[in-house]
């Protein structure tokens, strides 16, 4: 997604035999107390992150701030290091290519269309998983129908306003009911760090297919490999059935 996350480093003390270092009772009780305090403080800490480190990550040309932990199991990350944000005034989503009419949407246009809410696990091809993540938006199939797909069309290509990322689906995949042009994530508008204001969400596939900062949807004659496919990832990215992984499906 631009990928959304980098897998967490294994905890210190985990030995190769899986047993790790013995921990005393006082240490365990202290850890439990700290954990309870962390749960209570989590909403305040996340807001602080969003207002400070999260904002700094978007202006970091090195990309190193993408290693900092975010809320909900995600990490902020982009393939370009820095992505200028778009807002109500500047955001546009265009549908073009093999369609009967080229269509451009503003944010308000997308919000006025029928919305679908899905709650699924998010699975990254690198191994991390975020369970029960709500996404809400417009079904991609509805947008394709509005534009009018031409008979020779076989695939859909997605490009992003970071200027680098791209993805593709077959037309059959794109028309699934669990593929969204998403405007909300975790029951709030999608923030810039998570690919907002609008991103793709492909629920049954590894998360690299859910392109962030979506700007153009182009209907094509064939599947064109995306950013990570050009670097060795599978074009068909079904969770648990691709990329040599056996993760539990997210459907």
């Amino acid at each position: 997604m631009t990928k959304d996350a980098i897998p967490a480093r294994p905890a210190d003390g985990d030995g190769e035999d899986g047993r790790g270092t013995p921990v005393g009772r006082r240490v365990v009780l202290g850890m439990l107390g700290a954990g309870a305090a962390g749960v209570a403080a989590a909403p305040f800490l996340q807001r602080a992150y969003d207002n400070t480190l999260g904002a700094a990550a978007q202006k970091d040309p090195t990309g190193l701030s993408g290693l900092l932990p975010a809320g909900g199991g995600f990490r902020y990350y982009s393939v370009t290091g820095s992505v200028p944000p778009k807002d109500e005034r500047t955001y546009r989503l265009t549908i073009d290519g093999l369609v009967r009419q080229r269509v451009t949407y503003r944010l308000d246009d997308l919000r006025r269309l029928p919305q679908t809410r899905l709650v699924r696990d998010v699975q990254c091809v690198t191994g991390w998983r975020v369970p029960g993540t709500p996404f809400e938006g417009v079904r991609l199939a509805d947008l394709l129908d509005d534009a009018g797909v031409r008979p020779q069309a076989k695939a859909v290509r997605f490009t992003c306003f970071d200027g680098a990322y791209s993805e593709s689906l077959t037309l059959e995949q794109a028309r699934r009911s669990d593929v969204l042009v998403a405007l909300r994530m975790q029951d709030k508008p999608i923030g810039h760090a998570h690919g907002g204001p609008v991103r793709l969400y492909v629920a049954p596939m590894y998360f690299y297919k859910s392109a962030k900062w979506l700007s153009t949807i182009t209907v094509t004659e064939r599947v064109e490999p995306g950013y990570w496919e050009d670097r060795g990832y599978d074009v068909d990215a079904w969770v648990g059935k691709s990329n040599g992984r056996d993760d539990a499906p997210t459907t």
Side-chain angles (χ1 to χ4, degrees), residues 5 29 100 117 123 125 173 197:
L29 291 176
R100 300 193 185 282
R117 185 176 185 268
Q123 177 69 53
V125 72
Q173 293 166 352

Side-chain angles (χ1 to χ4, degrees), residues 27 47 100 107-108 115 170 177 183-185 205 217:
V27 175
R47 284 196 292 271
R100 300 193 185 282
L107 271 177
D108 280 346
Q115 305 291 302
T170 67
S177 61
L183 295 92
R184 294 177 62 83
M185 172 182 165
M205 293 189 176
I217 298 170

Side-chain angles (χ1 to χ4, degrees), residues 88 107 111 136 182-198:
E88 301 269 352
L107 271 177
R111 289 170 182 152
E136 187 174 348
L183 295 92
R184 294 177 62 83
M185 172 182 165
Q186 297 174 319
D187 294 320
K188 59 186 176 182
I190 300 176
H192 178 71
H194 284 301
V198 176

Side-chain angles (χ1 to χ4, degrees), residues 71-74 117-124 128-136 184-188 201 203 207 248-251:
F74 290 93
R117 185 176 185 268
L118 300 174
V119 181
R120 306 282 174 82
D121 292 356
V122 167
Q123 177 69 53
C124 181
W128 57 268
R129 191 178 187 105
V130 182
T133 304
F135 279 87
E136 187 174 348
R184 294 177 62 83
M185 172 182 165
Q186 297 174 319
D187 294 320
K188 59 186 176 182
Y201 177 54
F207 209 30
T250 55
T251 54

